[in-house]
Amino acid sequence: MTDVANRPAAPPRRPRGLARGALIAAALLYLGGFLILPFAVVFTQALARGFSPFVDALADPAAVAAIRLTLTVAAIAVPLNLVFGVAAAWAVAKFEFRGKSALLTLIDLPFAVSPVISGLIYVLVFGAHGWFGPWLAAHGVRIVFAVPGIVLATVFVTFPFVARELVPLMQSQGRDEEETALSLGATGWQAFWRVTLPNIRVGLLYGVLLCNARAMGEFGAVSVISGHIRGLTNTMPLHVEILYNEYNPTAAFAVASLLALLALGTLLARAALESHAPELRHASRQAPAQTATRTGAVA
Amino acid sequence: MSTTARSLPFPTRRPRRVLPGFGLTLGYTLLYLSLVVLVPLTATLVKTAELGWGEFWTVVGAPRTRAALALSFSAAALAALINGVAGFVVAWVLTRYEFPGRRLIDALVDLPFALPTAVAGIALTALYAPHGWLGRLLAPLGVTIAYTRAGVVVALIFVGLPFVVRTVQPVLEELDREVEQAAATLGAARARIVARIVLPSVWPALLTGFALAFARGIGEYGSVIFIAGNMPMVSEIAPLLIVTRLEQYEYPAATAIAIVMLSISFFVLLGINALQGWSQRRLGPGGA
């Protein structure tokens, strides 16, 4: 703990410097113990036995298969939620209709559901004892304990990301520009591609970034539905768990360090986008609360 | 495409919908929402209804279920409380003070949103285990975090950390500091200014952040299971019990616990909405 306290705490400059220094030190201590050290420990553990066990762990066929599956799942889930997010934002932001606030609440629903339950609901629908289970078994389709189930669970947990990023952005932009384009003879699609899309480009990228990070990192939902078949239905987070439970922490942390780098890359890209478009900062930073505001204000 | 064409050609005097695509986008939104979210959730509710009250209460009333639910809720509440206090301090420090590394720290606060929960779980375990960097410092004090209930709280502090900071921070930034300065010129002490002027304005946002962190903590799984020890009746959280029941093919039991958690999350969500409405009335639109 002490090395955290000695971090950048600024020297007091003004008379009120004592309270200020104490508060900064307290904040850094808290963030150090619960945020920065946990992040740092991933890398020190991954490289604890040197570089070659680290590389071996990543070159292992099961690890390669897990990385490939994680990339595949994200490559399916993210575009699906991207198209949905744009469609939902267009409907909600450009038009007035009854039940809009209820719709927004429903879109947010997956965030309120425990990851484990997100996986469970698909087991109940598609599993052997589920609604469609017998029919699927008769037709030789596997969803639970197979890749389609993992994709479905991932789509569920990342469902709101793009939509919640775009809805407030497009609401604030209104529809004047699109209406002008139409009055000048553009078709609806032309107005969307040439007017709307450039306007929401940064927000869209932002939503995709967050959606992707969650899609690649999801553990609970995927764990319930995957069946943990090594080399077949193991994503990177599940592979981390297996290695860790097999008392192979170095390999577990090696795979985990890739996910930690993904998280860091996501935050850096986010910071870069924010410096590009400062108006994004508050719109998305407090997205959960803001969405609650939207719904609460009308409900 | 057909929808876009349909709404265009006959402009009335005051066209209600000038822009095309309403039917297409709303239709797609509702279809996708139903397929991904509504149908599976309904299936869960129907499955529970098949249980009947008797079986439902047998599952929910079982000591192991009650212990797991109690742990999930109390640990989430305690972690959210700690995050409420510490998160306010962090938000204050980030908005009011300039110090080296402030922007970096500001960016890192979101790390728990981006870091996969399984990674957080093994990292926290390595850190707080008896031989870990922090566990080693705490062991002489008689404090054991890893593989106890305290471990559950530590993991939930991690996952809930950004919520309070990110709800309070914008309110602190928008706060009119002239009021504070006026109070100071009138002789009010710093602590009194914070208690009488800053806290009342920040209170709704603080409560919202608390509720969001609490809601997240109830359902959290990945970061907790590595550090908790997972002893039934002692350090077993409710989501883990669902997974255990599923692995034993006891679907009704898993579903019953899930329904209890879903309904409580639903009420927490309603509470958050109500809080937001309250804060809007207090601060005006955009205030929260």
Side-chain angles (χ1 to χ4, degrees):
Chain A
M1 289 275 215
T2 43
D3 48 348
V4 185
N6 293 337
R7 285 175 72 103
R13 280 178 216 128
R14 276 178 292 164
R16 275 211 303 275
L18 194 63
R20 173 195 144 98
L23 283 176
I24 293 178
L28 291 179
L29 205 66
Y30 165 73
L31 293 177
F34 290 108
L35 198 79
I36 294 163
L37 285 183
F39 187 67
V41 90
V42 175
F43 298 97
T44 61
Q45 292 281 328
L47 296 168
R49 286 159 206 268
F51 204 67
S52 78
F54 175 81
V55 175
D56 290 345
L58 296 182
D60 180 71
V64 173
I67 294 171
R68 188 174 297 144
L69 180 59
T70 291
L71 294 175
T72 311
V73 169
I76 301 169
V78 174
L80 280 176
N81 283 334
L82 170 65
V83 172
F84 159 73
V86 172
W90 181 271
V92 168
K94 305 288 182 193
F95 303 96
E96 294 306 322
F97 55 93
R98 267 159 184 258
K100 190 191 272 194
S101 65
L103 177 64
L104 285 169
T105 309
L106 286 178
I107 290 176
D108 266 348
L109 203 59
F111 276 171
V113 174
S114 167
V116 167
I117 297 176
S118 312
L120 171 73
I121 59 175
Y122 287 106
V123 175
L124 293 179
V125 176
F126 298 115
H129 304 285
W131 275 10
F132 303 118
W135 187 88
L136 290 170
H139 291 76
V141 183
R142 285 192 70 93
I143 292 185
V144 171
F145 306 146
V147 175
I150 298 178
V151 172
L152 274 174
T154 307
V155 166
F156 183 92
V157 295
T158 59
F159 184 85
F161 276 104
V162 179
R164 90 167 353 161
E165 213 57 64
L166 289 185
V167 167
L169 184 66
M170 281 169 70
Q171 273 177 333
S172 72
Q173 287 172 349
R175 51 190 167 211
D176 292 351
E177 290 188 34
E178 285 85 359
E179 283 174 355
T180 310
L182 288 177
S183 72
L184 293 172
T187 67
W189 284 108
Q190 282 175 327
F192 173 74
W193 286 106
R194 303 212 187 141
V195 178
T196 312
L197 206 57
N199 275 342
I200 60 171
R201 202 178 41 199
V202 182
L204 198 69
L205 201 59
Y206 207 99
V208 166
L209 213 63
L210 300 178
C211 185
N212 179 62
R214 181 70 194 267
M216 290 192 175
E218 179 51 30
F219 176 72
V222 170
S223 167
V224 166
I225 208 165
S226 87
H228 297 92
I229 307 166
R230 194 186 289 231
L232 284 179
T233 63
N234 246 3
T235 61
M236 286 169 78
L238 297 180
H239 192 57
V240 168
E241 183 198 21
I242 288 190
L243 292 170
Y244 190 82
N245 288 341
E246 286 174 349
Y247 300 102
N248 192 351
T250 309
F253 278 105
V255 179
S257 70
L258 289 187
L259 289 167
L261 284 178
L262 168 76
L264 189 66
T266 302
L267 291 187
L268 289 178
R270 170 181 209 171
L273 280 179
E274 272 169 5
S275 63
H276 227 267
E279 74 274 7
L280 274 176
R281 191 164 183 275
H282 278 176
S284 50
R285 272 288 164 87
Q286 46 157 352
Q290 203 190 35
T291 318
T293 313
R294 283 199 316 255
T295 50
V298 198
Chain B
M1 275 303 248
S2 57
T3 4
T4 46
R6 210 184 310 140
S7 49
L8 269 179
F10 303 108
T12 49
R13 231 180 322 153
R14 291 196 62 196
R16 267 179 69 235
R17 283 171 187 155
V18 183
L19 289 179
F22 178 67
L24 178 72
T25 52
L26 187 65
Y28 182 72
T29 301
L30 292 176
L31 177 73
Y32 188 76
L33 179 75
S34 306
L35 286 179
V36 175
V37 180
L38 299 182
V39 170
L41 277 176
T42 313
T44 312
L45 291 175
V46 172
K47 276 275 168 193
T48 317
E50 284 170 11
L51 274 181
W53 281 108
E55 205 181 341
F56 178 81
W57 285 116
T58 317
V59 171
V60 175
R64 187 168 167 191
T65 313
R66 285 214 312 262
L69 285 169
L71 175 63
S72 275
F73 284 99
S74 57
L78 183 58
L81 201 65
I82 295 171
N83 273 331
V85 177
F88 175 74
V89 173
V90 171
W92 177 268
V93 164
L94 287 177
T95 46
R96 294 302 173 99
Y97 303 140
E98 267 308 328
F99 56 94
R102 190 186 64 90
R103 280 179 54 94
L104 179 72
I105 302 239
D106 191 21
L108 282 181
V109 166
D110 283 326
L111 199 61
F113 286 157
L115 194 69
T117 53
V119 177
I122 63 169
L124 288 168
T125 311
L127 195 59
Y128 286 94
H131 297 287
W133 290 348
L134 295 182
R136 210 172 354 185
L137 297 175
L138 295 171
L141 308 171
V143 181
T144 322
I145 303 276
Y147 319 121
T148 67
R149 291 175 173 202
V152 180
V153 177
V154 164
L156 295 184
I157 290 176
F158 176 85
V159 296
L161 192 147
F163 287 104
V164 174
V165 181
R166 292 309 184 212
T167 47
V168 169
Q169 201 176 5
V171 181
L172 279 179
E173 275 169 15
E174 305 269 306
L175 214 58
D176 191 357
R177 293 176 71 171
E178 280 179 18
V179 182
E180 290 169 54
Q181 282 159 5
T185 54
L186 293 171
R190 193 70 188 150
R192 199 177 145 91
I193 294 177
V194 171
R196 289 292 180 84
I197 295 174
V198 177
L199 267 185
S201 320
V202 169
W203 194 234
L206 199 61
L207 273 179
T208 306
F210 170 85
L212 288 168
F214 177 59
R216 171 71 202 264
I218 295 170
E220 179 56 23
Y221 174 70
S223 58
V224 176
I225 56 163
F226 295 97
I227 199 171
N230 306 328
M231 288 255 296
M233 304 296 298
V234 178
S235 56
E236 181 182 55
I237 54 167
L240 177 66
L241 190 56
I242 294 179
V243 173
T244 311
R245 293 302 185 217
L246 265 182
E247 283 170 356
Q248 296 162 339
Y249 299 102
E250 291 179 25
Y251 290 90
T255 315
I257 305 168
I259 283 296
V260 173
M261 295 187 64
L262 275 178
S263 19
I264 295 171
S265 305
F266 177 73
F267 283 112
V268 174
L269 207 65
L270 280 186
I272 294 171
N273 274 357
L275 275 174
Q276 285 295 323
W278 178 47
S279 79
Q280 276 219 327
R281 281 194 300 278
R282 274 178 73 126
L283 301 171

